[in-house]
Amino acid sequence: MKDDAQTVRTAGLLTLFSLFCLIEGGIRLTRVVGSSDWTGDANTFPPIVLLLASLTEVIFALSGLLPGLLALVTEQYHKFMALPALVLINAGWFTFVVYVFALPAFNAARNPGHPGLTDSEDAGATVLGIFGSMGVCASMQGGQFVFALRLHRHLTDDMDRYTKTYIKVRHIVYTALYVLFGVSMLSIGALAQAQLGGGRVLPPLVKPPFFLVYPELTVTAGVITTLVSAVALFRAITGITRLAPAYYVLIAFDYLCNLGFLVYPQIGLIPGGPVFAVGMLTCLFAAVRVMPIFFERQAIRASKKD
């Protein structure tokens, strides 16, 4: 190991992102494990597929959590301790495809849409939900892989691969995912407000990761996230790193706005209370913001080495 502090930091981030994935996977698994008919029907997505996808997420989450915790708690390192995680995390894209694309598309095609929207408007809302899920889920699962790979390279003294170009490309990719999430949020909020009106919407418009009871709150959060993510993308593309502390505070403020406008006041008002979503969204919304900050910090470190 060339840099013990960086290795410990990487192990900590791997632990954090693995815990994010474990929380999401555990919630999904407990929701589907009690199914009585595993094959589904014309209007029900096969629970067996959801079971396998959620179980896969729990397994790849644990594969990253265990070496991360081992490194943090015991300060014991093994050259190849992160290698199993690198293999198993790649299976996570099965989970990604099932929950981000297949399940929402199936539900949109087989189940009635929102009564206040036309078929095309409801389909558009579904697509915006898929885009939003792509932004946050790719950031969280991709982040876990980034930190597992980084820990492996720390332990094998292979950090020379992290060139300025390598860091810049990934910085742009993860800030673009942040922008995709923000634009999707703003768009679905604007669609709901235009077609369903202001004030409380009954029934709520549910297109995970968006749960709309008050469209104006979603629009407000969407405007803030879109603007902040645009700043993040501009910084990633141009390489500007000035006013970094203020920028990090801005991202933290955006995260709090998401929790305060999207999660806490709206999910609790949905009949049946899908409170499980609070835990998942808390993790997903954090992950999509941590990655741009992480890669900006890496870009700053790389520039100081020149």
Side-chain angles (χ1 to χ4, degrees):
M1 293 182 296
K2 296 181 178 179
D3 190 334
D4 288 340
Q6 286 296 308
T7 303
V8 172
R9 183 177 296 114
T10 301
L13 287 167
L14 173 60
T15 301
L16 177 65
F17 272 68
S18 298
L19 188 59
F20 285 168
C21 292
L22 184 60
I23 290 170
E24 181 182 65
I27 291 171
R28 287 170 167 171
L29 183 60
T30 53
R31 294 189 69 223
V32 72
V33 75
S35 298
S36 57
D37 179 7
W38 292 104
T39 59
D41 54 41
N43 296 313
T44 304
F45 193 86
I48 187 62
V49 177
L50 298 180
L51 176 70
L52 293 174
S54 57
L55 186 60
T56 298
E57 184 167 15
V58 168
I59 292 171
F60 76 72
L62 288 171
S63 76
L65 181 65
L66 295 180
L69 282 176
L70 181 66
L72 286 175
V73 177
T74 69
E75 298 182 359
Q76 298 296 310
Y77 299 94
H78 184 277
K79 189 174 183 180
F80 299 112
M81 66 188 297
L83 199 55
L86 289 177
V87 176
L88 292 172
I89 288 171
N90 282 290
W93 297 111
F94 167 64
T95 304
F96 182 85
V97 169
V98 168
Y99 276 100
V100 173
F101 296 109
L103 180 60
F106 181 94
N107 288 337
R110 303 298 178 90
N111 297 315
H114 194 281
L117 300 177
T118 65
D119 289 345
S120 60
E121 289 167 348
D122 190 80
T126 298
V127 171
L128 291 172
I130 290 173
F131 283 160
S133 291
M134 287 173 59
V136 293
C137 292
S139 293
M140 189 169 77
Q141 289 187 220
Q144 190 199 19
F145 182 81
V146 164
F147 298 126
L149 179 60
R150 194 173 184 86
L151 180 60
H152 177 71
R153 288 179 173 171
H154 272 299
L155 298 175
T156 55
D157 290 330
D158 195 23
M159 294 300 290
D160 291 340
R161 292 173 180 260
Y162 291 106
T163 63
K164 290 179 68 174
T165 300
Y166 180 101
I167 292 168
K168 185 180 182 68
V169 169
R170 281 150 185 81
H171 191 187
I172 291 173
V173 167
Y174 280 99
T175 52
L177 290 173
Y178 189 13
V179 171
L180 178 64
F181 170 58
V183 171
S184 301
M185 185 196 313
L186 175 59
S187 299
I188 197 170
L191 171 65
Q193 187 161 21
Q195 302 303 322
L196 303 176
R200 185 167 183 172
V201 171
L202 293 174
L205 178 61
V206 177
K207 302 291 182 181
F210 306 120
F211 297 79
L212 290 83
V213 178
Y214 289 96
E216 54 268 34
L217 291 180
T218 304
V219 170
T220 302
V223 168
I224 296 170
T225 299
T226 299
L227 292 175
V228 174
S229 63
V231 171
L233 184 59
F234 175 77
R235 290 172 71 91
I237 293 172
T238 62
I240 292 175
T241 57
R242 288 174 293 180
L243 301 175
Y247 165 63
Y248 304 151
V249 170
L250 187 63
I251 289 184
F253 171 74
D254 179 40
Y255 178 60
L256 294 176
C257 286
N258 272 200
L259 295 180
F261 292 141
L262 291 182
V263 180
Y264 301 148
Q266 298 201 66
I267 290 179
L269 295 175
I270 296 177
V275 292
F276 64 87
V278 174
M280 298 170 71
L281 297 184
T282 299
C283 298
L284 290 164
F285 290 1
V288 77
R289 292 169 172 85
V290 169
M291 296 307 293
I293 295 176
F294 171 78
F295 277 110
E296 175 162 309
R297 296 306 303 170
Q298 295 309 304
I300 291 173
R301 285 176 58 86
S303 64
K304 289 180 178 179
K305 291 181 180 179
D306 294 341

